[in-house]
Amino acid sequence: MSTGGDGADLVQLFRCPFTHGPYLERRYRLQWRRARDTEHAERFLAAPPEVPLLRWEHELPEPCVLHPEEVDTHPWAEDDTLPASLIARIDAWDDAQVAEHGPDAPSYQYDLSIPPGWRVGGYPSWASTGPMAIDCASCATPMGLLLTAEGYELDAGSHSWVPLEDRDPPLRGKASIRGGQSLAQPTRLRFGRDRDLHVFTCPANPGHPPQWVLA
């Protein structure tokens, strides 16, 4: 896991609620801190800023509680993210699952590879763009995934990741997901056209600028 240098082991992600420039770009910032310093958090807290007049509700995050869970993830299976022979075996397994279980069959990409939602570390999902090489702009070192932010914590395409307490036991597959919008989208934020925001950092030098990738 990346750190911010100088003993920093706590990171905050800030997003400007407004768009900028002719391409309506979002602006982000990483702020690294030392966790032990937050014992005196009043040093960091001031009067909350007034909420600006925003055009869309999803531009302002909804306060919510974090319940971290450790899971195993595996690389996105496309192009050269995995050996070609292994991708062929995965494709054959997917086809066999569909033949046996129909539309609710599990698949590698959505049920075994990468879960939806906010994630720390692991592998990026390339569902919208296809795999991309992300190198540091300062030193050309391949960058590592620090954080993924996503608009939805669960979806019908990745129903196997839904917590047991959010499923309807008598039902199977996508139909088993229960709960309203507050469950599926607790932060209320959206990134791009329902894409993932991947935050990459340089493993060679934490002082090098991060990269923000919508995929």
Side-chain angles (χ1 to χ4, degrees):
M1 176 56 59
S2 299
T3 61
D6 298 327
D9 55 358
L10 175 67
V11 66
Q12 291 174 288
L13 171 65
F14 293 91
R15 182 179 87 153
C16 180
F18 299 105
T19 54
H20 300 267
Y23 300 106
L24 303 179
E25 298 173 350
R26 291 286 184 184
R27 293 183 179 175
Y28 304 92
R29 178 179 176 180
L30 283 184
Q31 179 67 52
W32 287 95
R33 305 187 189 279
R34 289 179 294 183
R36 66 174 181 269
D37 293 339
T38 62
E39 295 177 2
H40 305 287
E42 63 271 9
R43 295 197 305 113
F44 304 121
L45 299 178
E50 293 185 10
V51 178
L53 180 63
L54 301 176
R55 184 176 181 183
W56 305 109
E57 191 177 64
H58 66 256
E59 293 171 337
L60 186 68
E62 177 76 19
C64 56
V65 178
L66 177 68
H67 297 285
E69 181 179 4
E70 185 174 351
V71 297
D72 292 327
T73 62
H74 304 280
W76 188 261
E78 186 179 355
D79 293 345
D80 58 354
T81 58
L82 289 171
S85 59
L86 181 53
I87 291 180
R89 290 174 56 193
I90 290 172
D91 290 341
W93 182 84
D94 283 343
D95 291 342
Q97 295 303 308
V98 171
E100 182 177 353
H101 301 288
D104 282 325
S107 69
Y108 171 83
Q109 212 79 294
Y110 293 102
D111 295 289
L112 302 176
S113 175
I114 301 169
W118 289 62
R119 307 180 292 278
V120 175
Y123 297 95
S125 169
W126 299 114
S128 300
T129 63
M132 302 167 60
I134 309 298
D135 296 329
C136 179
S138 300
C139 66
T141 299
M143 304 186 85
L145 180 63
L146 171 70
L147 173 70
T148 296
E150 189 176 350
Y152 291 87
E153 286 296 309
L154 55 90
D155 59 66
S158 306
H159 56 280
S160 67
W161 299 98
V162 178
L164 294 178
E165 58 268 26
D166 298 323
R167 296 186 186 183
D168 193 341
L171 302 178
R172 296 185 58 189
K174 302 176 180 124
S176 69
I177 300 176
R178 63 184 178 186
Q181 188 74 5
S182 61
L183 176 67
Q185 194 182 17
T187 65
R188 193 169 56 188
L189 292 175
R190 288 194 351 226
F191 301 90
R193 294 182 178 178
D194 290 333
R195 294 184 175 186
D196 295 354
L197 171 69
H198 296 314
V199 182
F200 290 88
T201 55
C202 179
N205 189 329
H208 289 170
Q211 289 203 40
W212 323 95
V213 178
L214 283 172

